[in-house]
Amino acid sequence: MSSSSDFQQDRHSFSGSPQKWNDFELPGDTLYYRFTSDMSNTEWGYKFTVTAGHLGRFQTGFEILKQMLSEERVVPHLPLAKIWEWQVGVACRQTGHQRLKAIHLLLKIVQCSAQRDCDLTLLKPLWQLFTHMENNLCHDVAKPGILLPLHRALAELFFVTENRVTELGSLQEYLLALNTEDHLHRCTAQ
């Protein structure tokens, strides 16, 4: 079982009697599983139960943090650099609505940070996801240009972030940090 279709992330493998199975949690809102029989028995297989995570844990944390970031008098007392780091990690690991909510919080942090509170280079995995989505959109001219919610959220995040680093005078360093050397060579060649 895994949280990714390629079974590389948050992988849990079980074999044998039910006593060898342990409860575990997977991040996100999707579970992928693969069942393979070795044909050694004539049993019917395994049965497992999937239960939604701890009720409200993600939603509660999201609402509390969103409210704290909305309070101007509270923001200066928050460890924004650490919160930024955590939220980038959440946005990279989660899927679906939870990823969108994490991106929403990243956007709020960028908008309310007064100085260089955020290590913007941590956005590199999300930038790669965004550029991949952009490239697929450009190559698929048969489909109308409707953006998925994740694509729109990432576009807004990077638009606001680019404006913010421009205000701070560090646009060039930011763009160099997000892009790979290969990408920069291709852009230069173009």
Side-chain angles (χ1 to χ4, degrees):
M1 296 179 202
S2 175
S3 63
S4 64
S5 59
D6 63 359
F7 294 91
Q8 297 301 310
Q9 294 180 5
D10 307 303
R11 183 180 175 149
H12 297 271
S13 296
F14 300 98
S15 179
S17 67
Q19 290 75 25
K20 294 182 179 180
W21 287 59
N22 297 318
D23 288 349
F24 62 92
E25 289 186 26
L26 288 177
D29 57 5
T30 306
L31 164 83
Y32 297 91
Y33 68 95
R34 182 177 16 209
F35 174 77
T36 307
S37 173
D38 64 4
M39 307 277 201
S40 63
N41 286 329
T42 57
E43 308 286 332
W44 64 270
Y46 286 100
K47 174 181 171 183
F48 60 91
T49 304
V50 177
T51 307
H54 297 99
L55 184 61
R57 184 170 70 178
F58 183 91
Q59 185 63 29
T60 301
F62 168 77
E63 291 298 334
I64 291 170
L65 191 50
K66 183 175 80 169
Q67 185 61 38
M68 291 173 69
L69 291 169
S70 298
E71 299 286 333
E72 286 184 32
R73 68 183 197 287
V74 174
V75 171
H77 303 287
L78 296 174
L80 287 181
K82 198 64 175 164
I83 293 171
W84 174 263
E85 185 180 330
W86 291 332
Q87 285 306 307
V88 170
V90 169
C92 290
R93 291 191 55 151
Q94 294 292 351
T95 59
H97 292 293
Q98 291 180 341
R99 176 179 272 172
L100 290 173
K101 288 178 178 184
I103 292 170
H104 174 79
L105 291 175
L106 290 173
L107 189 57
K108 287 187 83 62
I109 294 169
V110 167
Q111 291 169 330
C112 73
S113 61
Q115 61 270 16
R116 299 172 190 254
D117 291 322
C118 311
D119 180 359
L120 298 175
T121 62
L122 295 175
L123 291 174
K124 191 170 189 167
L126 293 174
W127 175 255
Q128 291 170 338
L129 173 62
F130 176 67
T131 55
H132 177 74
M133 294 175 94
E134 285 282 300
N135 290 338
N136 286 346
L137 187 69
C138 292
H139 293 318
D140 196 357
V141 293
K143 291 184 181 175
I146 299 173
L147 299 181
L148 297 170
L150 175 59
H151 194 165
R152 284 195 315 263
L154 288 170
E156 184 177 8
L157 174 64
F158 287 111
F159 177 75
V160 170
T161 303
E162 186 175 322
N163 286 336
R164 189 76 180 118
V165 296
T166 300
E167 290 171 9
L168 296 171
S170 57
L171 179 62
Q172 186 173 359
E173 296 86 6
Y174 166 70
L175 293 175
L176 287 172
L178 288 185
N179 288 289
T180 63
E181 194 172 320
D182 183 50
H183 178 75
L184 293 173
H185 286 293
R186 271 184 294 163
C187 289
T188 304
Q190 288 176 347

